[in-house]
PDB file of all heavy atoms in Angstrom:
ATOM      1  N   LEU A 141       0.813  -1.223   0.000  1.00  0.00           N
ATOM      2  CA  LEU A 141       0.000   0.000   0.000  1.00  0.00           C
ATOM      3  C   LEU A 141       0.843   1.268   0.000  1.00  0.00           C
ATOM      4  O   LEU A 141       0.572   2.192  -0.768  1.00  0.00           O
ATOM      5  CB  LEU A 141      -0.971   0.012   1.185  1.00  0.00           C
ATOM      6  CG  LEU A 141      -1.885   1.236   1.252  1.00  0.00           C
ATOM      7  CD1 LEU A 141      -2.742   1.341  -0.008  1.00  0.00           C
ATOM      8  CD2 LEU A 141      -2.762   1.176   2.484  1.00  0.00           C
ATOM      9  N   SER A 142       1.883   1.336   0.823  1.00  0.00           N
ATOM     10  CA  SER A 142       2.690   2.563   0.881  1.00  0.00           C
ATOM     11  C   SER A 142       3.380   2.812  -0.460  1.00  0.00           C
ATOM     12  O   SER A 142       3.464   3.953  -0.928  1.00  0.00           O
ATOM     13  CB  SER A 142       3.713   2.491   2.006  1.00  0.00           C
ATOM     14  OG  SER A 142       4.565   1.372   1.824  1.00  0.00           O
ATOM     15  N   LEU A 143       3.854   1.765  -1.090  1.00  0.00           N
ATOM     16  CA  LEU A 143       4.491   1.899  -2.391  1.00  0.00           C
ATOM     17  C   LEU A 143       3.459   2.243  -3.466  1.00  0.00           C
ATOM     18  O   LEU A 143       3.718   3.039  -4.370  1.00  0.00           O
ATOM     19  CB  LEU A 143       5.237   0.609  -2.746  1.00  0.00           C
ATOM     20  CG  LEU A 143       6.219   0.670  -3.907  1.00  0.00           C
ATOM     21  CD1 LEU A 143       7.251   1.769  -3.708  1.00  0.00           C
ATOM     22  CD2 LEU A 143       6.902  -0.669  -4.076  1.00  0.00           C
ATOM     23  N   GLU A 144       2.279   1.675  -3.348  1.00  0.00           N
ATOM     24  CA  GLU A 144       1.191   1.959  -4.295  1.00  0.00           C
ATOM     25  C   GLU A 144       0.832   3.445  -4.271  1.00  0.00           C
ATOM     26  O   GLU A 144       0.670   4.076  -5.322  1.00  0.00           O
ATOM     27  CB  GLU A 144      -0.026   1.105  -3.919  1.00  0.00           C
ATOM     28  CG  GLU A 144      -1.127   1.123  -4.918  1.00  0.00           C
ATOM     29  CD  GLU A 144      -2.257   0.169  -4.552  1.00  0.00           C
ATOM     30  OE1 GLU A 144      -1.987  -0.963  -4.104  1.00  0.00           O
ATOM     31  OE2 GLU A 144      -3.415   0.587  -4.716  1.00  0.00           O
ATOM     32  N   VAL A 145       0.738   4.003  -3.068  1.00  0.00           N
ATOM     33  CA  VAL A 145       0.414   5.429  -2.920  1.00  0.00           C
ATOM     34  C   VAL A 145       1.534   6.281  -3.527  1.00  0.00           C
ATOM     35  O   VAL A 145       1.277   7.240  -4.261  1.00  0.00           O
ATOM     36  CB  VAL A 145       0.174   5.776  -1.430  1.00  0.00           C
ATOM     37  CG1 VAL A 145       0.100   7.282  -1.217  1.00  0.00           C
ATOM     38  CG2 VAL A 145      -1.092   5.093  -0.933  1.00  0.00           C
ATOM     39  N   PHE A 146       2.786   5.913  -3.241  1.00  0.00           N
ATOM     40  CA  PHE A 146       3.923   6.642  -3.809  1.00  0.00           C
ATOM     41  C   PHE A 146       3.903   6.582  -5.328  1.00  0.00           C
ATOM     42  O   PHE A 146       4.111   7.596  -6.008  1.00  0.00           O
ATOM     43  CB  PHE A 146       5.249   6.083  -3.274  1.00  0.00           C
ATOM     44  CG  PHE A 146       6.460   6.595  -3.998  1.00  0.00           C
ATOM     45  CD1 PHE A 146       6.870   7.906  -3.847  1.00  0.00           C
ATOM     46  CD2 PHE A 146       7.165   5.766  -4.869  1.00  0.00           C
ATOM     47  CE1 PHE A 146       7.983   8.393  -4.543  1.00  0.00           C
ATOM     48  CE2 PHE A 146       8.273   6.239  -5.560  1.00  0.00           C
ATOM     49  CZ  PHE A 146       8.682   7.553  -5.393  1.00  0.00           C
ATOM     50  N   VAL A 147       3.655   5.414  -5.881  1.00  0.00           N
ATOM     51  CA  VAL A 147       3.655   5.250  -7.336  1.00  0.00           C
ATOM     52  C   VAL A 147       2.535   6.083  -7.968  1.00  0.00           C
ATOM     53  O   VAL A 147       2.766   6.814  -8.936  1.00  0.00           O
ATOM     54  CB  VAL A 147       3.528   3.758  -7.729  1.00  0.00           C
ATOM     55  CG1 VAL A 147       3.241   3.598  -9.214  1.00  0.00           C
ATOM     56  CG2 VAL A 147       4.796   3.009  -7.351  1.00  0.00           C
ATOM     57  N   ALA A 148       1.342   6.008  -7.425  1.00  0.00           N
ATOM     58  CA  ALA A 148       0.203   6.721  -8.015  1.00  0.00           C
ATOM     59  C   ALA A 148       0.417   8.234  -8.005  1.00  0.00           C
ATOM     60  O   ALA A 148       0.333   8.886  -9.051  1.00  0.00           O
ATOM     61  CB  ALA A 148      -1.081   6.368  -7.265  1.00  0.00           C
ATOM     62  N   TYR A 149       0.695   8.780  -6.840  1.00  0.00           N
ATOM     63  CA  TYR A 149       0.790  10.228  -6.735  1.00  0.00           C
ATOM     64  C   TYR A 149       2.147  10.749  -7.183  1.00  0.00           C
ATOM     65  O   TYR A 149       2.253  11.880  -7.658  1.00  0.00           O
ATOM     66  CB  TYR A 149       0.414  10.674  -5.322  1.00  0.00           C
ATOM     67  CG  TYR A 149      -0.971  10.188  -4.987  1.00  0.00           C
ATOM     68  CD1 TYR A 149      -1.181   9.230  -4.007  1.00  0.00           C
ATOM     69  CD2 TYR A 149      -2.070  10.637  -5.717  1.00  0.00           C
ATOM     70  CE1 TYR A 149      -2.457   8.752  -3.739  1.00  0.00           C
ATOM     71  CE2 TYR A 149      -3.349  10.156  -5.456  1.00  0.00           C
ATOM     72  CZ  TYR A 149      -3.524   9.217  -4.466  1.00  0.00           C
ATOM     73  OH  TYR A 149      -4.785   8.737  -4.207  1.00  0.00           O
ATOM     74  N   GLY A 150       3.186   9.920  -7.083  1.00  0.00           N
ATOM     75  CA  GLY A 150       4.489  10.302  -7.607  1.00  0.00           C
ATOM     76  C   GLY A 150       4.460  10.412  -9.118  1.00  0.00           C
ATOM     77  O   GLY A 150       5.074  11.302  -9.711  1.00  0.00           O
ATOM     78  N   CYS A 151       3.742   9.510  -9.743  1.00  0.00           N
ATOM     79  CA  CYS A 151       3.598   9.546 -11.197  1.00  0.00           C
ATOM     80  C   CYS A 151       2.860  10.824 -11.615  1.00  0.00           C
ATOM     81  O   CYS A 151       3.301  11.537 -12.523  1.00  0.00           O
ATOM     82  CB  CYS A 151       2.846   8.309 -11.658  1.00  0.00           C
ATOM     83  SG  CYS A 151       3.054   7.964 -13.389  1.00  0.00           S
ATOM     84  N   ALA A 152       1.764  11.108 -10.953  1.00  0.00           N
ATOM     85  CA  ALA A 152       1.000  12.319 -11.263  1.00  0.00           C
ATOM     86  C   ALA A 152       1.857  13.569 -11.037  1.00  0.00           C
ATOM     87  O   ALA A 152       1.904  14.462 -11.889  1.00  0.00           O
ATOM     88  CB  ALA A 152      -0.275  12.381 -10.423  1.00  0.00           C
ATOM     89  N   LEU A 153       2.559  13.617  -9.914  1.00  0.00           N
ATOM     90  CA  LEU A 153       3.396  14.771  -9.612  1.00  0.00           C
ATOM     91  C   LEU A 153       4.526  14.908 -10.630  1.00  0.00           C
ATOM     92  O   LEU A 153       4.825  16.010 -11.098  1.00  0.00           O
ATOM     93  CB  LEU A 153       3.964  14.658  -8.194  1.00  0.00           C
ATOM     94  CG  LEU A 153       4.907  15.779  -7.760  1.00  0.00           C
ATOM     95  CD1 LEU A 153       4.199  17.133  -7.782  1.00  0.00           C
ATOM     96  CD2 LEU A 153       5.476  15.488  -6.381  1.00  0.00           C
ATOM     97  N   GLY A 154       5.156  13.796 -10.981  1.00  0.00           N
ATOM     98  CA  GLY A 154       6.225  13.850 -11.971  1.00  0.00           C
ATOM     99  C   GLY A 154       5.756  14.404 -13.300  1.00  0.00           C
ATOM    100  O   GLY A 154       6.396  15.278 -13.895  1.00  0.00           O
ATOM    101  N   PHE A 155       4.624  13.911 -13.780  1.00  0.00           N
ATOM    102  CA  PHE A 155       4.069  14.396 -15.044  1.00  0.00           C
ATOM    103  C   PHE A 155       3.750  15.891 -14.960  1.00  0.00           C
ATOM    104  O   PHE A 155       4.020  16.653 -15.892  1.00  0.00           O
ATOM    105  CB  PHE A 155       2.800  13.631 -15.415  1.00  0.00           C
ATOM    106  CG  PHE A 155       3.019  12.212 -15.857  1.00  0.00           C
ATOM    107  CD1 PHE A 155       1.939  11.334 -15.896  1.00  0.00           C
ATOM    108  CD2 PHE A 155       4.259  11.730 -16.235  1.00  0.00           C
ATOM    109  CE1 PHE A 155       2.100  10.017 -16.313  1.00  0.00           C
ATOM    110  CE2 PHE A 155       4.435  10.417 -16.654  1.00  0.00           C
ATOM    111  CZ  PHE A 155       3.345   9.556 -16.686  1.00  0.00           C
ATOM    112  N   ILE A 156       3.155  16.304 -13.845  1.00  0.00           N
ATOM    113  CA  ILE A 156       2.768  17.711 -13.688  1.00  0.00           C
ATOM    114  C   ILE A 156       4.002  18.606 -13.599  1.00  0.00           C
ATOM    115  O   ILE A 156       4.015  19.707 -14.165  1.00  0.00           O
ATOM    116  CB  ILE A 156       1.822  17.874 -12.484  1.00  0.00           C
ATOM    117  CG1 ILE A 156       0.476  17.222 -12.811  1.00  0.00           C
ATOM    118  CG2 ILE A 156       1.645  19.345 -12.115  1.00  0.00           C
ATOM    119  CD1 ILE A 156      -0.459  17.048 -11.623  1.00  0.00           C
ATOM    120  N   LEU A 157       5.046  18.153 -12.917  1.00  0.00           N
ATOM    121  CA  LEU A 157       6.276  18.947 -12.843  1.00  0.00           C
ATOM    122  C   LEU A 157       6.904  19.141 -14.224  1.00  0.00           C
ATOM    123  O   LEU A 157       7.365  20.247 -14.553  1.00  0.00           O
ATOM    124  CB  LEU A 157       7.284  18.287 -11.906  1.00  0.00           C
ATOM    125  CG  LEU A 157       7.067  18.492 -10.416  1.00  0.00           C
ATOM    126  CD1 LEU A 157       8.038  17.627  -9.609  1.00  0.00           C
ATOM    127  CD2 LEU A 157       7.218  19.962 -10.049  1.00  0.00           C
ATOM    128  N   ILE A 158       6.931  18.086 -15.024  1.00  0.00           N
ATOM    129  CA  ILE A 158       7.465  18.222 -16.386  1.00  0.00           C
ATOM    130  C   ILE A 158       6.653  19.257 -17.154  1.00  0.00           C
ATOM    131  O   ILE A 158       7.203  20.167 -17.788  1.00  0.00           O
ATOM    132  CB  ILE A 158       7.453  16.870 -17.130  1.00  0.00           C
ATOM    133  CG1 ILE A 158       8.406  15.865 -16.473  1.00  0.00           C
ATOM    134  CG2 ILE A 158       7.802  17.062 -18.612  1.00  0.00           C
ATOM    135  CD1 ILE A 158       8.215  14.432 -16.944  1.00  0.00           C
ATOM    136  N   TRP A 159       5.338  19.131 -17.103  1.00  0.00           N
ATOM    137  CA  TRP A 159       4.458  20.062 -17.816  1.00  0.00           C
ATOM    138  C   TRP A 159       4.641  21.494 -17.319  1.00  0.00           C
ATOM    139  O   TRP A 159       4.738  22.429 -18.123  1.00  0.00           O
ATOM    140  CB  TRP A 159       3.005  19.606 -17.677  1.00  0.00           C
ATOM    141  CG  TRP A 159       2.017  20.634 -18.109  1.00  0.00           C
ATOM    142  CD1 TRP A 159       1.761  21.029 -19.392  1.00  0.00           C
ATOM    143  CD2 TRP A 159       1.170  21.419 -17.275  1.00  0.00           C
ATOM    144  NE1 TRP A 159       0.787  22.002 -19.392  1.00  0.00           N
ATOM    145  CE2 TRP A 159       0.412  22.255 -18.106  1.00  0.00           C
ATOM    146  CE3 TRP A 159       0.973  21.478 -15.900  1.00  0.00           C
ATOM    147  CZ2 TRP A 159      -0.512  23.158 -17.601  1.00  0.00           C
ATOM    148  CZ3 TRP A 159       0.042  22.367 -15.398  1.00  0.00           C
ATOM    149  CH2 TRP A 159      -0.691  23.195 -16.249  1.00  0.00           C
ATOM    150  N   LEU A 160       4.698  21.674 -16.000  1.00  0.00           N
ATOM    151  CA  LEU A 160       4.877  23.020 -15.455  1.00  0.00           C
ATOM    152  C   LEU A 160       6.203  23.624 -15.903  1.00  0.00           C
ATOM    153  O   LEU A 160       6.257  24.811 -16.258  1.00  0.00           O
ATOM    154  CB  LEU A 160       4.824  22.985 -13.921  1.00  0.00           C
ATOM    155  CG  LEU A 160       3.482  23.207 -13.270  1.00  0.00           C
ATOM    156  CD1 LEU A 160       3.600  23.073 -11.761  1.00  0.00           C
ATOM    157  CD2 LEU A 160       2.877  24.536 -13.648  1.00  0.00           C
ATOM    158  N   GLY A 161       7.260  22.824 -15.876  1.00  0.00           N
ATOM    159  CA  GLY A 161       8.547  23.318 -16.330  1.00  0.00           C
ATOM    160  C   GLY A 161       8.500  23.765 -17.778  1.00  0.00           C
ATOM    161  O   GLY A 161       9.003  24.844 -18.132  1.00  0.00           O
ATOM    162  N   ILE A 162       7.907  22.962 -18.629  1.00  0.00           N
ATOM    163  CA  ILE A 162       7.791  23.306 -20.047  1.00  0.00           C
ATOM    164  C   ILE A 162       6.922  24.550 -20.229  1.00  0.00           C
ATOM    165  O   ILE A 162       7.238  25.436 -21.040  1.00  0.00           O
ATOM    166  CB  ILE A 162       7.236  22.117 -20.859  1.00  0.00           C
ATOM    167  CG1 ILE A 162       8.233  20.953 -20.846  1.00  0.00           C
ATOM    168  CG2 ILE A 162       6.905  22.530 -22.292  1.00  0.00           C
ATOM    169  CD1 ILE A 162       7.678  19.655 -21.408  1.00  0.00           C
ATOM    170  N   THR A 163       5.845  24.632 -19.464  1.00  0.00           N
ATOM    171  CA  THR A 163       4.949  25.786 -19.562  1.00  0.00           C
ATOM    172  C   THR A 163       5.638  27.066 -19.119  1.00  0.00           C
ATOM    173  O   THR A 163       5.524  28.107 -19.781  1.00  0.00           O
ATOM    174  CB  THR A 163       3.668  25.535 -18.736  1.00  0.00           C
ATOM    175  OG1 THR A 163       3.019  24.370 -19.260  1.00  0.00           O
ATOM    176  CG2 THR A 163       2.728  26.720 -18.795  1.00  0.00           C
ATOM    177  N   ILE A 164       6.386  27.003 -18.022  1.00  0.00           N
ATOM    178  CA  ILE A 164       7.138  28.178 -17.574  1.00  0.00           C
ATOM    179  C   ILE A 164       8.169  28.573 -18.626  1.00  0.00           C
ATOM    180  O   ILE A 164       8.363  29.755 -18.915  1.00  0.00           O
ATOM    181  CB  ILE A 164       7.784  27.918 -16.194  1.00  0.00           C
ATOM    182  CG1 ILE A 164       6.697  27.845 -15.119  1.00  0.00           C
ATOM    183  CG2 ILE A 164       8.817  28.992 -15.846  1.00  0.00           C
ATOM    184  CD1 ILE A 164       7.174  27.346 -13.767  1.00  0.00           C
ATOM    185  N   ALA A 165       8.818  27.575 -19.226  1.00  0.00           N
ATOM    186  CA  ALA A 165       9.782  27.862 -20.291  1.00  0.00           C
ATOM    187  C   ALA A 165       9.109  28.561 -21.475  1.00  0.00           C
ATOM    188  O   ALA A 165       9.693  29.455 -22.093  1.00  0.00           O
ATOM    189  CB  ALA A 165      10.462  26.573 -20.753  1.00  0.00           C
ATOM    190  N   SER A 166       7.881  28.174 -21.787  1.00  0.00           N
ATOM    191  CA  SER A 166       7.193  28.788 -22.924  1.00  0.00           C
ATOM    192  C   SER A 166       6.863  30.254 -22.668  1.00  0.00           C
ATOM    193  O   SER A 166       6.857  31.061 -23.592  1.00  0.00           O
ATOM    194  CB  SER A 166       5.917  28.013 -23.273  1.00  0.00           C
ATOM    195  OG  SER A 166       4.886  28.259 -22.341  1.00  0.00           O
ATOM    196  N   VAL A 167       6.620  30.588 -21.415  1.00  0.00           N
ATOM    197  CA  VAL A 167       6.261  31.961 -21.056  1.00  0.00           C
ATOM    198  C   VAL A 167       7.502  32.838 -20.883  1.00  0.00           C
ATOM    199  O   VAL A 167       7.524  33.991 -21.306  1.00  0.00           O
ATOM    200  CB  VAL A 167       5.398  31.971 -19.766  1.00  0.00           C
ATOM    201  CG1 VAL A 167       5.163  33.381 -19.264  1.00  0.00           C
ATOM    202  CG2 VAL A 167       4.075  31.258 -20.016  1.00  0.00           C
ATOM    203  N   THR A 168       8.542  32.270 -20.268  1.00  0.00           N
ATOM    204  CA  THR A 168       9.734  33.060 -19.948  1.00  0.00           C
ATOM    205  C   THR A 168      10.793  33.031 -21.042  1.00  0.00           C
ATOM    206  O   THR A 168      11.660  33.902 -21.082  1.00  0.00           O
ATOM    207  CB  THR A 168      10.391  32.549 -18.660  1.00  0.00           C
ATOM    208  OG1 THR A 168      10.867  31.214 -18.850  1.00  0.00           O
ATOM    209  CG2 THR A 168       9.430  32.608 -17.480  1.00  0.00           C
ATOM    210  N   GLY A 169      10.776  32.026 -21.894  1.00  0.00           N
ATOM    211  CA  GLY A 169      11.798  31.870 -22.915  1.00  0.00           C
ATOM    212  C   GLY A 169      12.971  31.016 -22.471  1.00  0.00           C
ATOM    213  O   GLY A 169      13.967  30.912 -23.175  1.00  0.00           O
ATOM    214  N   ALA A 170      12.863  30.407 -21.303  1.00  0.00           N
ATOM    215  CA  ALA A 170      13.941  29.541 -20.815  1.00  0.00           C
ATOM    216  C   ALA A 170      14.192  28.439 -21.836  1.00  0.00           C
ATOM    217  O   ALA A 170      13.255  27.881 -22.405  1.00  0.00           O
ATOM    218  CB  ALA A 170      13.566  28.936 -19.458  1.00  0.00           C
ATOM    219  N   SER A 171      15.478  28.110 -22.044  1.00  0.00           N
ATOM    220  CA  SER A 171      15.789  27.158 -23.106  1.00  0.00           C
ATOM    221  C   SER A 171      16.902  26.168 -22.768  1.00  0.00           C
ATOM    222  O   SER A 171      17.077  25.193 -23.486  1.00  0.00           O
ATOM    223  CB  SER A 171      16.190  27.923 -24.368  1.00  0.00           C
ATOM    224  OG  SER A 171      17.363  28.683 -24.126  1.00  0.00           O
ATOM    225  N   LYS A 172      17.645  26.396 -21.712  1.00  0.00           N
ATOM    226  CA  LYS A 172      18.817  25.554 -21.450  1.00  0.00           C
ATOM    227  C   LYS A 172      18.441  24.102 -21.140  1.00  0.00           C
ATOM    228  O   LYS A 172      19.134  23.183 -21.565  1.00  0.00           O
ATOM    229  CB  LYS A 172      19.648  26.142 -20.310  1.00  0.00           C
ATOM    230  CG  LYS A 172      20.354  27.417 -20.714  1.00  0.00           C
ATOM    231  CD  LYS A 172      21.163  28.003 -19.582  1.00  0.00           C
ATOM    232  CE  LYS A 172      21.801  29.315 -20.025  1.00  0.00           C
ATOM    233  NZ  LYS A 172      22.422  30.004 -18.910  1.00  0.00           N
ATOM    234  N   ALA A 173      17.351  23.881 -20.415  1.00  0.00           N
ATOM    235  CA  ALA A 173      16.939  22.517 -20.068  1.00  0.00           C
ATOM    236  C   ALA A 173      16.266  21.807 -21.238  1.00  0.00           C
ATOM    237  O   ALA A 173      16.212  20.579 -21.265  1.00  0.00           O
ATOM    238  CB  ALA A 173      16.003  22.530 -18.861  1.00  0.00           C
ATOM    239  N   LEU A 174      15.747  22.561 -22.182  1.00  0.00           N
ATOM    240  CA  LEU A 174      15.007  22.010 -23.323  1.00  0.00           C
ATOM    241  C   LEU A 174      15.496  22.696 -24.597  1.00  0.00           C
ATOM    242  O   LEU A 174      14.780  23.489 -25.211  1.00  0.00           O
ATOM    243  CB  LEU A 174      13.504  22.239 -23.113  1.00  0.00           C
ATOM    244  CG  LEU A 174      12.947  21.670 -21.801  1.00  0.00           C
ATOM    245  CD1 LEU A 174      11.714  22.422 -21.343  1.00  0.00           C
ATOM    246  CD2 LEU A 174      12.660  20.197 -21.970  1.00  0.00           C
ATOM    247  N   PRO A 175      16.725  22.394 -25.012  1.00  0.00           N
ATOM    248  CA  PRO A 175      17.353  23.179 -26.083  1.00  0.00           C
ATOM    249  C   PRO A 175      16.711  23.049 -27.463  1.00  0.00           C
ATOM    250  O   PRO A 175      16.821  23.976 -28.268  1.00  0.00           O
ATOM    251  CB  PRO A 175      18.795  22.674 -26.097  1.00  0.00           C
ATOM    252  CG  PRO A 175      18.753  21.326 -25.460  1.00  0.00           C
ATOM    253  CD  PRO A 175      17.615  21.367 -24.480  1.00  0.00           C
ATOM    254  N   ILE A 176      16.056  21.957 -27.765  1.00  0.00           N
ATOM    255  CA  ILE A 176      15.469  21.815 -29.105  1.00  0.00           C
ATOM    256  C   ILE A 176      14.262  22.744 -29.254  1.00  0.00           C
ATOM    257  O   ILE A 176      14.195  23.560 -30.164  1.00  0.00           O
ATOM    258  CB  ILE A 176      15.099  20.349 -29.405  1.00  0.00           C
ATOM    259  CG1 ILE A 176      16.376  19.502 -29.465  1.00  0.00           C
ATOM    260  CG2 ILE A 176      14.309  20.244 -30.708  1.00  0.00           C
ATOM    261  CD1 ILE A 176      16.148  18.023 -29.582  1.00  0.00           C
ATOM    262  N   ALA A 177      13.304  22.639 -28.333  1.00  0.00           N
ATOM    263  CA  ALA A 177      12.120  23.502 -28.401  1.00  0.00           C
ATOM    264  C   ALA A 177      12.453  24.939 -28.010  1.00  0.00           C
ATOM    265  O   ALA A 177      11.734  25.865 -28.372  1.00  0.00           O
ATOM    266  CB  ALA A 177      11.013  22.965 -27.502  1.00  0.00           C
ATOM    267  N   GLY A 178      13.555  25.128 -27.284  1.00  0.00           N
ATOM    268  CA  GLY A 178      13.919  26.468 -26.817  1.00  0.00           C
ATOM    269  C   GLY A 178      14.925  27.186 -27.694  1.00  0.00           C
ATOM    270  O   GLY A 178      15.343  28.298 -27.362  1.00  0.00           O
TER     271      GLY A 178
END
């Protein structure tokens, strides 16, 4: 159960963090972490 909870919400958090990072990059122009799209 403890691992199941970590996997479920860790997966959601990981996906959201990637998306947030990309979204912030799109607004600010940040490009070093994502050099192809940036």
